[in-house]
Structures are given as C-alpha cells and as structure tokens.
C-alpha cells in the first residue's frame, strides 16, 4: 500500500456515554481516473490511485475490449484534476468497442453511464470446467484475505479482490474504494503476470452483483466467492457462464447459488 492511497482527516468522535472528542481518521483516497484507448477518451473511473496500470489492463480484459496480449503499453500521467491512463494497442489490433458511456464510473457502480440496455447486460462467454475446491478451502481463504487487506484494515472503507489456488493459498490481492476496480486491478495483475485464472478461484469482499460475475467470466475463472449476498441476475449470469457462485461466505459456512459441482464434499473424499 502506497502513501498515495490514503489521507488523514480530522473528525469528532461522539458516543452516547462519553464527551465528544477530536480524533484523526485515515481515509482511502478516491481519485478521478480518466481512461483512454490509443489516446481516445473512454470513461472516468473513481478509484484508489494505486495499481492504475493493472486497473486499466483489467478493465480491457473484463469489459471484453481486447485481449491482454493486444496491449503494448499503459501510460499514466498525473494531472491537477486526477490521473490520466492511456492504453495503447498493437498496430492492426481491432479492439472491440467498449460499452459507450456518458457518465463517470463511480466507485460503487460498475456500469455507470452505459447508454443502451444491450450494452448493460451482454451475453457471457462459457467458462471451462476449471478446478474444483473443497468447501473447507473457503473459510481458509477468507481468513488469509483478512490478514492481507492492509488498506481495508487501516480505513475500513475499501473492498478487496483476491485469487487463490485450489488449496486456498493466496496468490494475489488488490484493494480499492470500488469493488469493480478491485476486481479489475486483480484481473490486470494476473494478466500481466501470466497467471491462469482457470487454475484457482476469486474471492471478493463485496456484494455480488451481475457485473462481478461478468468480469470473473471474462477473466476465465470458474469459481467466484463473495462475502455478501448475490442478486438474482448474478445467479442467472453465473448459470449462463457456467460459473460456480458462492456467496454469504463466512468463517462458519457459505451458500452455493450456482455450479455446485466444483465444490467437493468432505464425505466424498472418504469414499
């Protein structure tokens, strides 16, 4: 976690049984990030200003704009109003036109400004069979992720997305004020490092709306675990893409909403 990701803010603490007192709270920074493709402006994301190259690369992958290998460079330039990030594609690459937007992408919204219904809910690619995991791997992964959320532990105001091996070994984790941004940063880091998304599972510390399922599908990851509840459309999209969707994940249990065949029962291992 870099110093650019946080900022101290004064506040007044109030408690019913105590006198008001001043204190300082560490807050996560939320910065306007202008994203462009080959110099052509596309959208503005509200994000935590670190790992922005990964955010841009992950956005390209999870939005279906192009393949990670089609990206030749990502340039980052700080401006007074925010940060400009430009993605350059290889000559001759016809990048798929990203969903047109006319509003900024707010940290709480993955589809802000999308203009057409057809662009909002698009058909998803089918995910390959991929790995299977034991039910017991999920609480192990949750505990490991909790330990690695440096920004979240400091501010209590951010989301995290992480990738684990089938044995619940933490591979990568990324944090951001926006749940979609955290997942895009994770996708970008994995694409940059050549990590096969089909070789493990993703855990997010947020609610599971359908665009989180969509991004996971476009990463090619077969299993998505969410700490909070899913929407009806998220479950439908998980079924459509063949993704295993686990939600309401806690240390003492979780709920399987789709693709339960990839979860191994302890009893089955003894047969």
């Amino acid at each position: 976690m870099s110093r650019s990701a946080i900022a101290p803010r004064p506040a007044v603490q109030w408690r019913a049984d105590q006198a008001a007192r001043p204190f300082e709270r560490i807050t996560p920074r939320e910065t306007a990030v202008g994203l462009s493709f080959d110099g052509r402006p596309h959208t503005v994301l509200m994000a935590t200003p670190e790992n922005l190259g990964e955010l841009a690369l992950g956005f390209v992958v999870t939005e279906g704009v192009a393949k990670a290998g089609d990206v030749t460079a990502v340039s980052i330039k700080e401006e007074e109003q925010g940060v400009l990030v430009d993605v350059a594609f290889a000559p001759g690459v016809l990048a798929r036109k990203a969903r047109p937007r006319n509003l900024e992408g707010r940290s709480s919204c993955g589809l802000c400004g999308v203009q057409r219904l057809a662009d909002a809910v698009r058909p998803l690619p089918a995910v390959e069979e991929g790995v299977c995991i034991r039910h017991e791997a999920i609480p192990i992964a949750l505990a490991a992720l909790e330990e690695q959320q440096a920004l979240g532990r400091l501010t209590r105001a951010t989301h995290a997305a992480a990738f684990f091996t089938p044995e619940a070994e933490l591979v990568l984790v990324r944090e951001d004020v926006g749940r979609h941004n955290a997942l895009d940063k994770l996708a970008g880091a994995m694409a940059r490092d050549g990590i096969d998304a089909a070789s493990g599972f993703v855990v997010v510390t947020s609610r599971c709306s359908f665009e989180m399922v969509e991004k996971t599908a476009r990463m090619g990851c077969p299993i998505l675990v969410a700490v909070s509840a899913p929407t009806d459309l998220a479950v439908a999209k998980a079924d459509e893409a063949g993704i295993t969707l686990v939600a309401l994940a806690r240390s003492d249990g979780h709920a399987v909403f789709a693709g339960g065949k990839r979860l191994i029962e302890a009893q089955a291992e003894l047969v």
Side-chain angles (χ1 to χ4, degrees):
M1 179 183 62
S2 65
R3 294 296 301 174
S4 64
I6 58 174
R9 291 290 181 180
V12 176
Q13 181 72 63
W14 184 91
R15 290 284 187 271
D17 58 346
Q18 298 176 11
R21 64 179 181 85
F23 80 111
E24 186 177 79
R25 176 79 180 190
I26 300 298
T27 62
R29 289 187 60 203
E30 187 174 19
T31 301
V33 179
L35 180 61
S36 61
F37 300 140
D38 284 330
R40 296 187 296 273
H42 173 64
T43 191
V44 177
L45 305 172
M46 299 306 298
T48 302
E50 65 175 356
N51 305 122
L52 294 184
E54 296 172 355
L55 173 62
L57 181 58
F59 186 95
V60 166
V61 172
T62 66
E63 286 288 308
V65 177
K67 297 179 180 178
D70 296 330
V71 175
T72 58
V74 178
S75 61
I76 301 173
K77 182 181 180 182
E78 293 192 14
E79 299 283 353
E80 183 178 352
Q81 302 90 344
V83 183
L84 300 179
V85 182
D86 183 66
V87 179
F89 295 99
V93 170
L94 295 177
R96 179 195 183 280
K97 186 179 180 181
R99 290 182 278 207
R101 299 169 186 243
N102 61 6
L103 291 173
E104 77 277 11
R106 300 178 179 92
S107 58
S108 60
C109 176
L111 294 173
C112 289
V114 171
Q115 300 170 30
R116 299 185 303 170
L117 290 177
D119 287 321
V121 185
R122 303 179 297 182
L124 296 184
V127 175
E128 300 297 330
E129 284 300 312
V131 298
C132 293
I133 65 173
R134 296 167 58 244
H135 282 278
E136 292 79 5
I138 293 174
I140 295 174
L142 292 174
L145 179 54
E146 175 66 24
E147 292 181 0
Q148 295 301 317
Q149 287 178 246
L151 184 58
R153 189 165 52 252
L154 186 63
T155 67
R156 296 299 177 188
T158 58
H159 291 293
F163 185 73
F164 290 86
T165 69
E167 294 75 30
E169 297 174 348
L170 180 61
V171 179
L172 279 174
V173 59
R174 291 294 182 267
E175 296 179 275
D176 197 274
V177 290
R179 54 198 169 95
H180 312 92
N181 299 334
L183 186 53
D184 279 344
K185 286 180 177 180
L186 177 69
M190 292 173 61
R192 180 202 61 199
D193 295 345
I195 299 172
D196 182 7
S199 66
F201 64 103
V202 166
V203 178
V204 295
T205 62
S206 63
R207 71 182 178 90
C208 186
S209 49
F210 85 91
E211 63 270 29
M212 301 297 277
V213 172
E214 179 179 35
K215 288 178 180 294
T216 302
R218 295 192 184 282
M219 290 170 63
C221 184
I223 303 173
L224 172 62
V225 178
V227 169
S228 194
T231 64
D232 176 71
L233 187 55
V235 177
K237 284 294 182 179
D239 281 329
E240 175 189 325
I243 282 180
T244 297
L245 176 58
V246 178
L248 298 170
R250 302 288 187 272
S251 60
D252 59 349
H254 48 264
V256 182
F257 287 87
K261 63 183 180 181
R262 293 194 184 91
L263 292 169
I264 304 170
E265 299 285 350
Q267 295 89 331
E269 295 179 324
L270 301 176
V271 176

